[in-house]
Amino acid sequence: MKPSIHEAIRARRLALGLSQIEAARRSGIQQRQVSTFERGGDVTLSTLLKLAQALDVELLPVPREDTAKLESLLKAKRAPAPSTSPPSLLDRYQVKDDEEPSNG
Amino acid sequence: MKPSIHEAIRARRLALGLSQIEAARRSGIQQRQVSTFERGGDVTLSTLLKLAQALDVELLPVPREDTAKLESLLKAKRAPAPSTSPPSLLDRYQVKDDEEPSNG
DNA sequence: CATATATATTCCTTATAATACATTTCATGA
DNA sequence: TCATGAAATGTATTATAAGGAATATATATG
């Protein structure tokens, strides 16, 4: 099941251990936009690009004919680097390799 | 030299041999939005997604750490076609050799 | 429960994207 | 030149995202 772009961005943010507030601060958008977007709401491309940049993510337009190959490549690469920051308040969101964040 | 998302979408449209009007019609947006976007203007994500879908393109959020690998893969796939076919109206845009524009 | 943090949602205002044509500009070919 | 098709732009209106700040709601912890 392929995650939507919304879900993917959210996952990325959590993987980086960032709160919406911090992501918003870094990208210069409002926390509200982060929340709205992650929940599937609409934002302008410029807003999304700011957020993506703050999350060190690129929005790559890929022809459908190529997606399969790329996705298998991405999936195969799930090997998170050792965390350089100490576990902090956001620790509960740290996405582990084989563990899902409690998703109610 | 990495093309912007705007340029990439435009290139894709041209590769499919579609006019802005046809792309707009297929995606249910206005020709104006196609033009605006391709020229770097801002659109909502929903609008962009409609256009992308009409162009059979997916917007893949890729962590920067992974982009290099993926891009080389995509780049490897470019194979310019010899232009020996009779020039048609859209011929200046035909980038692919085995792809028909709207034929039905 | 109380506290702290994160996230979702509300208010109002402003900015701007989307819509619906119409028109102009540009390039090509008869 | 004129005709044709594509693309860029004009105008007016409507819809909605963004900005700013606050508040309400979860959720985990002490």
Side-chain angles (χ1 to χ4, degrees), chain A residues 2 4-6 8-9 12 16 37 41-49 53 55-67 69-71 73-74 77, chain B residues 2 4-6 8-9 12 37 41-49 53 56-67 69-71 73-74 77 96 99:
Chain A
K2 170 162 36 206
S4 70
I5 188 171
H6 310 269
I9 290 289
R12 172 65 173 176
L16 292 178
F37 171 71
D42 209 0
V43 293
T44 56
L45 176 63
S46 57
T47 293
L48 175 56
L49 289 179
Q53 175 155 315
L55 299 180
D56 236 40
V57 167
E58 208 173 315
L59 240 52
L60 207 58
V62 181
R64 269 211 175 279
E65 34 179 321
D66 300 342
T67 50
K69 188 172 306 188
L70 297 196
E71 271 159 20
L73 228 159
L74 283 179
K77 203 187 160 296
Chain B
K2 172 163 34 206
S4 71
I5 189 172
H6 309 270
I9 290 290
R12 173 64 173 175
F37 172 72
D42 209 359
V43 293
T44 56
L45 177 62
S46 57
T47 293
L48 175 55
L49 288 180
Q53 175 155 311
D56 235 41
V57 167
E58 208 173 315
L59 239 52
L60 205 60
V62 182
R64 270 212 174 279
E65 33 178 322
D66 300 342
T67 49
K69 188 171 303 189
L70 298 196
E71 270 158 20
L73 227 159
L74 285 177
K77 207 184 158 293
K96 295 206 169 183
E99 186 108 21

Side-chain angles (χ1 to χ4, degrees), chain A residues 63-64, chain B residues 9 12-14 16-29 34 46-59 99 102:
Chain A
R64 269 211 175 279
Chain B
I9 290 290
R12 173 64 173 175
R13 176 179 63 80
L14 296 180
L16 293 178
L18 301 179
S19 67
Q20 289 185 351
I21 289 181
E22 179 60 17
R25 195 191 60 72
R26 292 192 187 185
S27 51
I29 68 178
V34 180
S46 57
T47 293
L48 175 55
L49 288 180
K50 287 179 201 164
L51 178 57
Q53 175 155 311
L55 299 180
D56 235 41
V57 167
E58 208 173 315
L59 239 52
E99 186 108 21
S102 59

Side-chain angles (χ1 to χ4, degrees), chain B residues 13 19-20 31-32 35 39:
Chain B
R13 176 179 63 80
S19 67
Q20 289 185 351
Q31 179 255 324
R32 185 199 195 96
S35 173
R39 293 170 60 77

Side-chain angles (χ1 to χ4, degrees), chain A residues 80-93:
Chain A
S83 174
T84 47
S85 46
S88 66
L89 305 158
L90 281 167
D91 191 59
R92 56 188 125 153
Y93 290 133

